[in-house]
Amino acid sequence: MKRRFMTLLVGMWIAASAGAEFFLDIYGGKVYAAGGTFAGIYSERTSSIYGSDTFRSWSALNDLGGAKGTSYGIRGGYWFESGLGIALDVSRFGVDPGDSVTEIDLSPASLLLMYRYPLLVTDQFSRGRMHPYVGAGFSYGSVEVKTHCSHLYNDYDLSEDSTCFGFDFRLGLKWFFTRHLAVFGEYRFSALSFEQNAHFQSGDSWILPSVTRNHSINTEGDVPTHHLQGGVSYHF
């Protein structure tokens, strides 16, 4: 019974692969934040071997609307004969709120369910020379928040990694020069959220520190972004 079941699974996989068209996309573009907020609380407790103990804190609140950045990524998957497709997209993009001291870099992986409609079908392009397509799915990945602080003590860059999650939507148009090579333009909307809670320690000397500093970082943000991007695609 187990052997029959495995044979059936292999047969279904071979049949699906025979009717599938695998593809690989590489792209890049510009990012524009569609609102969103970032809030951070940073604290530092300083302890000296001379017995002194001080506490300082600093907070930041940014409206991310109008923030800009760049994006790039790679996407792979396959299309079924029905026009449905699945893809895994890995990208990286950042938003810089301009005069803020905070930079946010996100690296999400998105699992997408896609659909395309073939146009300009000919003998040479049996699957169509032009493909409007749409895709949507969920994202999960990493986020790095970097904040430059100048009044905790001297100058210091606070940078910590955490995870982000959210929604991803794509709308694009692909044009084939050959049966395998194409270019495309795409609009993307990404809505990601994250939280960070980190603690670390530093000193004024790594050999024999006379001052010990305990740092705490608590940040959270919602980052909805519009992307205008283009790239090249290979189908096989």
Side-chain angles (χ1 to χ4, degrees):
M1 182 67 182
K2 182 177 180 181
R3 180 176 298 178
R4 291 181 179 178
F5 180 70
M6 293 301 296
T7 302
L8 178 61
L9 287 180
V10 172
M12 292 174 62
W13 170 254
I14 293 175
S17 299
E21 181 183 8
F22 292 85
F23 68 92
L24 182 67
D25 298 338
I26 299 175
Y27 61 84
K30 300 294 292 183
V31 179
Y32 306 90
T37 59
F38 165 79
I41 300 176
Y42 309 90
S43 62
E44 169 196 298
R45 183 175 296 277
T46 303
S47 301
S48 171
I49 62 174
Y50 305 109
S52 61
D53 190 8
T54 60
F55 178 80
R56 302 175 183 177
S57 66
W58 177 74
S59 63
L61 178 63
N62 294 121
D63 180 0
L64 300 180
K68 300 178 181 180
T70 58
S71 69
Y72 56 90
I74 185 170
R75 177 173 59 225
Y78 59 88
W79 295 103
F80 294 103
E81 290 292 338
S82 63
L84 290 174
I86 59 173
L88 178 63
D89 185 287
V90 179
S91 63
R92 182 175 178 86
F93 60 92
V95 292
D96 181 1
D99 56 354
S100 171
V101 295
T102 302
E103 296 178 7
I104 303 173
D105 291 309
L106 304 112
S107 302
S110 303
L111 183 61
L112 302 172
L113 178 64
M114 307 182 73
Y115 179 78
R116 69 176 181 179
Y117 188 80
L119 298 175
L120 304 180
V121 178
T122 64
D123 291 338
Q124 182 181 359
F125 298 95
S126 58
R127 291 184 170 126
R129 187 166 193 176
M130 185 168 63
H131 293 167
Y133 64 89
V134 64
F138 294 97
S139 301
Y140 182 84
S142 65
V143 58
E144 180 185 39
V145 178
K146 183 183 297 182
T147 301
H148 182 74
C149 304
S150 60
H151 64 288
L152 291 180
Y153 59 90
N154 298 324
D155 288 335
Y156 195 78
D157 286 325
L158 296 174
S159 178
E160 285 295 326
D161 293 331
S162 186
T163 58
C164 60
F165 61 93
F167 173 75
D168 197 335
F169 172 80
R170 312 291 178 102
L171 180 65
L173 182 65
K174 186 172 290 188
W175 175 269
F176 285 82
F177 291 104
T178 70
R179 293 185 61 181
H180 301 288
L181 186 63
V183 296
F184 64 92
E186 183 177 278
Y187 165 75
R188 173 188 182 186
F189 177 75
S190 174
L192 298 173
S193 299
F194 66 89
E195 290 185 2
Q196 291 181 311
N197 296 282
H199 305 273
F200 62 96
Q201 190 177 84
S202 65
D204 59 343
S205 172
W206 64 273
I207 299 177
L208 186 61
S210 61
V211 175
T212 301
R213 299 182 176 94
N214 293 286
H215 309 275
S216 176
I217 302 176
N218 299 278
T219 65
E220 62 180 19
D222 296 297
V223 191
T225 50
H226 300 293
H227 303 241
L228 296 177
Q229 52 199 30
V232 296
S233 179
Y234 185 77
H235 287 234
F236 52 97

